[in-house]
Amino acid sequence: MSPDEIVEAHGVRLRPFRASDTADVVDGCADPLSQRFVSTMPAPYTEIEARWWIDAGAPAVWTGGGAAYAIADPATDRLLGAVGLNNPVPARSQSEIGYWVRPAARGRGVATAATRALSEHAFATGTLRLELLTESENGASQRVALAAGFRYEGLRRSAGQDRGGGRHDLLAWVRLAEDPPGPVARLLPDLPDGVLTDQVVALRRLTPDDADVIYRLHSRPEVVANQAPPVPPTREAIERRCRLAESTWLTGELARFMIIDVATGEPAGSCGLSYTEVSSGEGSIGYALLPAWRGRGYATRAVRLLAGWAFGPAGFARLTAGTVPENTASHRVLERVGFQREALQRGRLPGLAGTRLDDLTFALLPAELR
């Protein structure tokens, strides 16, 4: 690679930075979203920092064995963002790819296009492995990684540095030179039209704005009693759960849903679906309702919708649900959907003060869904 070359592919142009880019660099790097997720950016970010980057920062990246490109609109040549390679490991033929996009250019696939273009150029010039590290709460960047052909590889503990000097985890996404082109197929696809509904209840993705409702629901004594171990969650844990809901969905770990009453738009409860064994296509579900919505068949409707999506677009082959033996209301919900009692696993779950709880397991196959 050369700092003077231009790469044009996938509807974007990658070119060297120019003095005329200064205002657009400030626009992109001073934006709150960029400041939040790119801790290496100076704060505040001013014209002085932008000029330093164009005159010295970007050339230094090239000198260090990396790459620093401006992403430009091929029609106007105006700067849309930046993409580059850093932290090269020559012995592994590996580099790390990163990007940012100006606010006005977001939502148009610019980051995905630039990441694809630079990845392909890097592979064509000798790189064999590219890493893309994202913040765990940055779902938009994780979607870029998947769309650009990067597969989720795992958690990098304490790999990120906070502005205050602390450390935090990052998620690692990787693409190899021999990987097929195109987006990565996800274990948990997006919902069709963003929602599942039978016109009485609807399921949608959990969001950070749901923290109040989720905390109110999952701190109720009767809901806590059916968890293992039966310990009330903290408000902080619930807020983090909601902030990470997008990420756990994208990585294939867990799909979390809000159950909504269609007539009023009010939240009625929550449910979730996770893989217990990817190789065999087995998943597990859980659910809970707020008191005001119990006894109306809403849990049954929600589980039926969730199972239909799991066996359909998500491609599961078998679903299970674990319950405490005393939770007869939950047993009735599962049986109405078609689940069958399968096993009582004695002492399988952790209880309080070193005790153990039995787990009564129900299972459902696609042909049994009612």
Side-chain angles (χ1 to χ4, degrees):
M1 291 191 194
S2 165
D4 298 320
E5 66 187 332
I6 295 176
V7 178
E8 215 162 308
H10 302 295
V12 294
R13 174 180 297 156
L14 310 185
R15 60 161 174 79
F17 284 92
R18 302 167 183 162
S20 57
D21 295 326
T22 300
D24 288 334
V25 170
V26 173
D27 177 54
C29 294
D31 175 69
L33 193 62
S34 298
Q35 289 285 311
R36 178 185 175 191
F37 290 124
V38 187
S39 60
T40 55
M41 283 185 179
Y45 199 97
T46 68
E47 186 176 321
I48 294 174
E49 282 74 34
R51 287 200 301 266
W52 173 87
W53 169 253
I54 294 169
D55 295 337
V61 172
W62 285 100
T63 302
Y69 286 101
I71 308 170
D73 184 333
T76 65
D77 204 40
R78 183 170 179 179
L79 184 135
L80 303 175
V83 65
L85 302 177
N86 53 57
N87 296 325
V89 185
R92 299 180 183 174
S93 298
Q94 172 184 304
S95 284
E96 182 182 321
I97 193 166
Y99 47 80
W100 58 260
V101 175
R102 289 178 49 223
R106 292 174 190 158
R108 295 160 39 186
V110 170
T112 298
T115 302
R116 291 179 63 192
L118 182 52
S119 297
E120 292 167 6
H121 186 56
F123 292 143
T125 52
T127 300
L128 299 180
R129 173 184 164 91
L130 286 174
E131 290 191 347
L132 195 164
L133 302 182
T134 70
E135 302 284 342
S136 57
E137 296 180 17
N138 192 349
S141 192
Q142 293 164 36
R143 286 184 177 273
V144 168
L146 288 162
F150 285 71
R151 300 181 187 179
Y152 176 61
E153 189 166 85
L155 185 72
R156 292 289 177 82
R157 294 189 300 156
S158 232
Q161 183 169 348
D162 301 328
R163 293 189 183 278
R167 309 288 298 182
H168 60 272
D169 299 339
L170 294 175
L171 304 185
W173 308 78
V174 173
R175 184 176 175 185
L176 305 179
E178 65 264 28
D179 283 343
V184 172
R186 286 166 42 196
L187 288 174
L188 298 169
D190 286 327
L191 300 180
D193 301 319
V195 67
L196 303 174
T197 184
D198 63 1
Q199 306 309 318
V200 176
V201 302
L203 306 184
R204 63 158 174 79
R205 285 206 319 257
L206 192 71
T207 73
D209 293 336
D210 296 319
D212 285 340
V213 174
I214 294 298
Y215 180 70
R216 180 157 44 95
L217 171 62
H218 287 276
S219 59
R220 294 192 60 82
E222 72 277 12
V223 176
V224 172
N226 291 305
Q227 298 173 353
V231 177
T234 64
R235 172 71 191 213
E236 181 182 11
I238 291 296
E239 289 178 350
R240 179 170 172 79
R241 178 188 302 181
C242 294
R243 292 198 308 270
L244 295 182
E246 171 83 343
S247 180
T248 58
W249 193 308
L250 294 174
T251 59
E253 177 185 349
L254 174 63
R256 296 187 188 274
F257 303 81
M258 285 297 294
I259 304 171
I260 305 296
D261 173 56
V262 172
T264 64
E266 291 295 315
S270 72
C271 58
L273 169 68
S274 63
Y275 269 100
T276 50
E277 191 175 273
V278 174
S279 61
S280 64
E282 180 175 290
S284 176
I285 68 168
Y287 49 88
L289 286 182
L290 289 162
W293 303 98
R294 296 171 190 165
R296 306 187 187 189
Y298 278 35
T300 301
R301 289 177 176 274
V303 172
R304 186 178 291 120
L305 284 168
L306 182 53
W309 178 76
F311 290 140
F316 283 75
R318 167 183 158 90
L319 293 178
T320 64
T323 70
V324 296
E326 298 79 17
N327 191 355
T328 56
S330 188
H331 303 165
R332 288 194 294 269
V333 166
L334 294 169
E335 288 168 346
R336 282 194 289 267
V337 176
F339 281 80
Q340 299 182 26
R341 298 184 185 219
E342 194 163 80
L344 175 64
Q345 301 178 77
R346 295 177 299 156
R348 177 177 177 267
L349 302 172
L352 296 175
T355 61
R356 303 294 297 182
L357 303 174
D358 294 343
D359 185 18
L360 180 58
T361 302
F362 290 72
L364 179 70
L365 301 180
E368 298 166 346
L369 177 61
R370 296 175 185 170

